[in-house]
């Protein structure tokens, strides 16, 4: 009886907390910039450099992320 309850618990856990699919954000046009009064965020294509990761076609893409604090007041 304990084995059956344990098995049901494992199945319930698997269905409740394990994600079956993952989705990634894709960009249609680069660079993309969004600004607020405090911040500016820009996503663009990665710069080609030896030290950085390079994209693998069909596996993953590499992007550059630039975040700037544009606000005059410092948040505390």
């Amino acid at each position: 009886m304990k084995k059956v309850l344990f098995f049901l618990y494992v199945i319930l856990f698997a269905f409740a907390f394990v994600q079956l699919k993952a989705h990634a954000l894709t960009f249609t046009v680069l660079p993309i910039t969004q600004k607020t009064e405090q911040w500016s965020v820009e996503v663009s294509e990665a710069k080609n450099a030896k030290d950085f990761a390079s994209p693998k076609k069909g596996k993953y893409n590499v992007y550059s992320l630039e975040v700037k604090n544009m606000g005059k007041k410092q948040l505390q």
Side-chain angles (χ1 to χ4, degrees), residues 17-40:
F17 298 108
V18 176
Q19 291 185 0
L20 300 176
K21 293 183 181 180
H23 297 280
L25 177 63
T26 57
F27 302 105
T28 55
V29 178
L30 289 176
I32 295 175
T33 305
Q34 289 189 343
K35 295 180 181 180
T36 65
E37 293 178 8
Q38 187 73 29
W39 300 99
S40 170

Side-chain angles (χ1 to χ4, degrees), residues 35-60:
K35 295 180 181 180
T36 65
E37 293 178 8
Q38 187 73 29
W39 300 99
S40 170
V41 178
E42 179 179 352
V43 178
S44 60
E45 291 189 27
K47 299 171 178 72
N48 292 332
K50 292 184 213 176
D51 299 336
F52 297 137
S54 59
K56 301 267 187 210
K57 189 168 184 155
K59 289 194 173 188
Y60 58 87

Side-chain angles (χ1 to χ4, degrees), residues 2 7 10 17 28 36 55-57 65 69 73-75:
K2 288 182 182 181
F7 180 73
V10 169
F17 298 108
T28 55
T36 65
K56 301 267 187 210
K57 189 168 184 155
L65 178 68
N69 185 350
K73 286 191 337 185
Q74 293 293 325
L75 299 176

